[in-house]
Amino acid sequence: MGFAGYLVWSILKEEAGSGEVITIHEAIKVAAMAYLNRQYRTLLAFMVVVAVILGVAVKWQVGLSFIVGACFSAAAGYIGMTIAVRANARTATAAKHGVGKALRIAFKGGAVTGLLMVALALLGLSVFFLLWQDPILFAGFGFGGSIVALFARIGGGIYTKSADVGADLVGKVEAGIPEDDPRNPAVIADFVGDNVGDDAGMAADLFETYAVTMIGAMLLAVIPTVPAFKVVEGGAAVYHWGKLIYPLLLGAIALLATIVGTFAVRAGGKTKPSTAILQGILVTSVISVIGFYFLTVWLSLPMGVFYASIVGVVVTVLLAVINNYYTSYAYRPTKSISEASQAGPAVNLITGLSIGLESSALPVAVIASSIPIAYFAAGGALSIIDGFYGVAVAVMAMLSIAGIIVSVDAFGPIVDNANGIAEMAGLGEDVREGLDPLDALGNTTKSLTKAFAIGSAGLAALSLLFAYLVEVVRGLIELNPQAYSNLNFQQALMELTGKVTLMSPKVILGLFVGGVLVFLFASLCMRGVAKGAFSMVSEVRRQFREIKGLMEGKAKPDYARCVDISVRTALKSMALPGIIVIVPPVIIGFVVGWEALAGLLIGTTVTGLATAIFMATGGAAWDNAKKFIELGNYGGKGSPAHSAAVVGDTVGDPCKDTAGPAINPMIKAVNMLSVILAPLFLLIMLA
C-alpha cells in the first residue's frame, strides 16, 4: 500500500496539460466519480442489511467480515479509478515526449489499482486470520467482495456498453465521424464507461476471486486423519497449520514480486510497449515461482503442493496463448470475421458466433485437464482432502500474480482515454502516433485479463464447491457427533459426499437449475445494455437533428445528458441479476437440500465457465475484426465491410464487457453464499 502511495505521488507530479485537455479530463473525472458514488450509495443499504442477516442467522464474525470485505473491495476500485482518471490527461500530455514516458505514467496508474486490490485483500484476510484462525468465521469477507464485484461488473458493464453502442452506431455508421470525435454526444459517457467497467469493475472482480480462493484453500486445509467428532471444536486445531497459512504467504510473496515486476515495465529504444508489459508479467511470475518453492520447503509441506502451484502458472500461460490466438487479427479466427464482413452484418454475426462458440473448447479443456493433475500432484490418490487442497493451491498460484494482471488491465482504459483526449483536443499527429500503439496494446491486455479472470473464476468456483462439501460434512458431524465417533474426517467426507451422485433426483434437479441460472443472468445483463443503448441511440440522433451547427463543429453537444442516461440505466438494471444470484441457491438449499445445492453449484460452474469464455472471447474477436478492417483491409474505414464490422462489434461489446465478465462473480457469489449458509440448510432440513 505504501508503494501504491508512492506511485500516486509520482503520477500527480506529472504535467496534466492545459486548455481543452484539462476541460475534457475534468468532464471524464467528474462523471466517473459521480457514477461510482451513486453506485456505492445504492449498495450501502443493501450491504448493511445483508451483514445484519448474516450476523444474526450465522455468526456475528461472518457479518462483520462481510461488511469489511465489501468496503475493502469498493475502496480498491474507488481509489484505483480515482487515480486512473487523473492519469489519462497526464498520459496524453506525456506522449509529446515519446511513447516510453506515456507508457510509464499509464502503467503506474494501472498499478495503483492492481497493488491496492491485492494489498487490501491480503490485509483483511490476514487480520481476520490472526483474530479468529478458523477461516469459516471470515468467509463473509469473500462474500462481501463477491457482492460488490457482482454489482460493479453489472453496473459498470451496462454503463460502458450503453454509451459505446450509441456512440458507434450513430457516430460511426450513421454520421460517418471518427470514434472519439468531439461532435459525438456519447463520447464522454464512453470514456467514463471504460473506467467504471475495466478499472473499478475488474479490480472488484479479481479482488473477490483472490479473497474467496484464499478462503476456500484455507477451508480445505483440514487434517484428513483428525477424528470426525473433533471438528465440532473448530479453530486451528482442526487444520494443518502449514497448509492453513500457505495461501496467505503465497499472496505475500507474489505481492512483493509484483512490486519488483513494475520496475521491469520500461519501453524505449528497441523495447516495444508490448514487450515492456510482458517483461513485467514475466519477472513477477518467475520471482513468485521461486518464492513458492522456498516457502514450500520452509513450511515442510509435500513438494506435490508446490507442483500444484506450478499447474496454476502453466494454466495462466496456456489461457493467454489461446486467447491471443482467438482474438488477435494476426490469426485465422478474427481474420475470418473480417473477411465475412464483406457479405454484410448478418454473415459477420454468424461467423462471430461460430468463432465465439469454438473459442470455449480449448480453455475448458485446459482447465479440466489441470484439475486431475493438481489433484493427484498434491496427494489426491491417498487423500481426497489433500487432492482438493491441491486444486485450490493451483488457483491460488494463478491469482497470486493478480496484482500485475490487474495493473495491465487498468492500463487499458487510461491509454484509451488518453488517446481520445488527444483526438478531441487536437494535440496533433505526433502525439496520436505515440498513443495509438499504446491504445492497441491496451485492447490486447484487456482481452488477456478477461481470459485470466474467467479461467481463475472457474477454478475458484470449483475449489469453493469442494469447500462447500467440507462445510456440509462438518455441519452434519456437529449436529450428530456420536454417529461419526468411529470415523476420521476423510472417511466421514467420503461417506457423506457419496450422496452427490447422478442417481439422485435432487442432484439432477440442482444441475438443471444451476445451468439455466447462467443463461437468465446473462440475459438480464444483455437486456440492460439493450435498454441503455436504445435510449442512447435516440438521444444522440436527437442531438444531431436538433442542435444546429453540431455536425459543422460550430456547436457543442450535451454530453451530460448522455452520461445521465448511462447512469440511470446501469443503476436500474443491477437489481434483477443480483436477485438471480442470491434467491435460487437459498430456496434450493432450504427447500430441497444440500445435495441439490451441490448439483446447482456444479451446473452453474460448468455452464458459467463455458458461456463466459464464449461471450468474452467472441466479443473481443468481433472488436479486433473491426480494427483489422480499419487498418485498410477489405476496403478500410467507410466501406460496407467496415459498417458490417461495426454492427458485429456493437453486438460483441456487451458480450465481452458486460455479460461475460459479470458471470465470473456470479458463479463465485453463488458458491460463497452456499459455503456460508451450509449449516443453516442442514439445520432446517433436519428439523
Side-chain angles (χ1 to χ4, degrees):
M1 291 173 70
F3 185 69
Y6 160 74
L7 292 179
V8 170
W9 170 80
S10 67
I11 292 166
L12 295 181
K13 73 184 180 112
E14 297 288 345
E15 182 188 357
S18 59
E20 194 67 14
V21 171
I22 293 297
T23 301
I24 300 165
H25 157 73
E26 285 295 325
I28 296 169
K29 182 178 73 173
V30 170
M33 302 317 297
Y35 169 73
L36 217 55
N37 287 332
R38 286 179 65 175
Q39 176 178 279
Y40 288 155
R41 282 200 302 269
T42 303
L43 284 178
L44 181 60
F46 174 75
M47 291 296 183
V48 171
V49 171
V50 173
V52 171
I53 292 173
L54 290 175
V56 173
V58 186
K59 290 180 179 178
W60 68 266
Q61 294 97 328
V62 175
L64 175 62
S65 63
F66 171 85
I67 202 70
V68 173
C71 290
F72 275 27
S73 177
Y78 191 91
I79 297 170
M81 200 187 80
T82 299
I83 301 306
V85 296
R86 284 164 173 77
N88 54 24
R90 290 168 170 83
T91 300
T93 302
K96 297 176 182 178
H97 307 290
V99 68
K101 185 174 182 180
L103 171 69
R104 284 195 297 275
I105 294 174
F107 182 76
K108 284 179 182 179
V112 172
T113 304
L115 288 166
L116 281 178
M117 181 274 298
V118 177
L120 286 170
L122 193 60
L123 173 65
L125 290 170
S126 299
V127 169
F128 284 127
F129 171 73
L130 290 171
L131 288 174
W132 302 323
Q133 281 77 57
D134 190 349
I136 193 61
L137 295 178
F138 51 90
F141 184 87
F143 185 51
S146 294
I147 295 298
V148 170
L150 184 69
F151 288 112
R153 272 304 195 190
I154 297 169
I158 291 172
Y159 185 114
T160 182
K161 292 305 112 180
S162 296
D164 200 9
V165 171
D168 278 0
L169 284 181
V170 186
K172 281 186 177 181
V173 177
E174 296 182 11
I177 59 178
E179 183 172 356
D180 297 325
D181 195 294
R183 292 171 291 177
N184 194 325
V187 70
I188 295 295
D190 191 11
F191 289 159
V192 173
D194 290 333
N195 290 285
V196 298
D198 283 319
D199 195 309
M202 179 60 79
D205 188 351
L206 282 176
F207 176 98
E208 62 102 13
T209 305
Y210 187 93
V212 301
T213 301
M214 192 172 284
I215 292 168
M218 295 173 80
L219 287 170
L220 293 169
V222 179
I223 302 171
T225 55
V226 69
F229 67 89
K230 282 282 186 181
V231 298
V232 300
E233 298 174 4
V238 180
Y239 298 99
H240 184 291
W241 182 256
K243 290 183 176 179
L244 190 60
I245 64 173
Y246 191 67
L248 288 168
L249 294 177
L250 286 179
I253 288 169
L255 186 50
L256 293 173
T258 300
I259 293 175
V260 178
T262 60
F263 290 103
V265 181
R266 291 286 186 274
K270 295 182 179 179
T271 304
K272 297 179 180 179
S274 57
T275 304
I277 292 291
L278 290 175
Q279 283 174 178
I281 297 174
L282 181 62
V283 167
T284 302
S285 302
V286 170
I287 294 175
S288 297
V289 169
I290 293 171
F292 296 167
Y293 172 80
F294 286 107
L295 174 64
T296 308
V297 173
W298 181 60
L299 291 175
S300 301
L301 295 177
M303 287 309 297
V305 174
F306 170 70
Y307 300 145
S309 72
I310 298 299
V311 171
V313 176
V314 172
V315 168
T316 301
V317 174
L318 291 176
L319 289 179
V321 171
I322 294 168
N323 178 267
N324 187 55
Y325 171 73
Y326 275 101
T327 59
S328 171
Y329 48 64
Y331 302 104
R332 172 194 63 84
T334 297
K335 279 186 176 179
S336 68
I337 301 174
S338 301
E339 183 180 7
S341 301
Q342 297 174 99
V347 183
N348 170 285
L349 294 174
I350 293 168
T351 307
L353 284 171
S354 71
I355 295 300
L357 291 166
E358 177 191 323
S359 70
S360 64
L362 282 177
V364 170
V366 167
I367 292 169
S369 301
S370 71
I371 295 168
I373 295 172
Y375 180 91
F376 288 110
L382 299 176
S383 166
I384 185 174
I385 297 176
D386 288 343
F388 286 170
Y389 183 79
V391 176
V393 166
V395 196
M396 195 60 234
M398 283 183 70
L399 288 163
S400 64
I401 62 169
I404 195 77
I405 296 296
V406 172
S407 298
V408 300
D409 180 79
F411 157 86
I414 293 173
V415 294
D416 190 356
N417 277 196
N419 204 15
I421 289 172
E423 181 176 330
M424 290 184 71
L427 293 186
E429 285 301 315
D430 56 332
V431 175
R432 293 297 307 281
E433 286 174 6
L435 290 172
D436 279 341
L438 293 183
D439 193 3
L441 175 60
N443 289 327
T444 302
T445 58
K446 286 189 288 186
S447 178
L448 292 175
T449 306
K450 286 183 176 68
F452 173 85
I454 293 168
S456 60
L459 282 171
L462 186 64
S463 66
L464 288 174
L465 169 63
F466 297 156
Y468 167 74
L469 295 174
V470 167
E471 288 310 305
V472 165
V473 174
R474 283 184 64 174
L476 289 171
I477 294 170
E478 187 172 357
L479 290 170
N480 189 9
Q482 296 303 316
Y484 305 96
S485 58
N486 296 323
L487 300 175
N488 62 35
F489 189 78
Q490 172 157 291
Q491 290 168 336
L493 180 67
M494 295 181 70
E495 178 180 306
L496 291 169
T497 54
K499 296 181 180 180
V500 183
T501 168
L502 289 177
M503 298 301 291
S504 166
K506 290 183 178 180
V507 174
I508 293 175
L509 168 66
L511 281 169
F512 276 96
V513 173
V516 80
L517 277 184
V518 174
F519 289 93
L520 287 174
F521 178 83
S523 168
L524 291 170
C525 292
M526 297 290 280
R527 192 179 305 166
V529 175
K531 288 180 180 178
F534 182 87
S535 299
M536 190 68 69
V537 166
S538 300
E539 175 60 23
V540 175
R541 284 174 176 166
R542 183 195 68 79
Q543 292 197 32
F544 279 144
R545 185 176 60 250
E546 296 180 6
I547 299 179
K548 295 181 179 180
L550 178 57
M551 288 303 296
E552 293 78 22
K554 297 177 181 178
K556 284 194 173 184
D558 185 355
Y559 298 126
R561 177 87 178 191
C562 292
V563 169
D564 186 62
I565 288 172
S566 282
V567 171
R568 286 188 286 105
T569 305
L571 294 177
K572 285 180 181 178
S573 302
M574 291 193 303
L576 274 179
I579 292 171
I580 287 290
V581 171
I582 295 172
V583 174
V586 172
I587 293 175
I588 291 292
F590 280 131
V591 176
V592 188
W594 70 268
E595 304 100 317
L597 186 54
L600 182 146
L601 299 182
I602 296 169
T604 301
T605 301
V606 174
T607 308
L609 177 62
T611 305
I613 294 172
F614 152 60
M615 300 186 87
T617 309
W622 261 313
D623 189 358
N624 284 334
K626 177 198 68 177
K627 288 182 171 63
F628 186 64
I629 293 174
E630 289 175 346
L631 291 174
N633 300 289
Y634 304 117
K637 290 183 179 180
S639 66
H642 183 238
S643 297
V646 170
V647 173
D649 180 34
T650 55
V651 173
D653 270 346
C655 291
K656 71 179 175 67
D657 290 327
T658 307
I663 291 172
N664 299 344
M666 180 256 184
I667 59 178
K668 288 170 291 183
V670 169
N671 278 270
M672 201 73 228
L673 178 64
S674 302
V675 170
I676 292 171
L677 295 183
L680 284 181
F681 297 148
L682 299 175
L683 280 173
I684 296 296
M685 289 300 295
L686 292 177

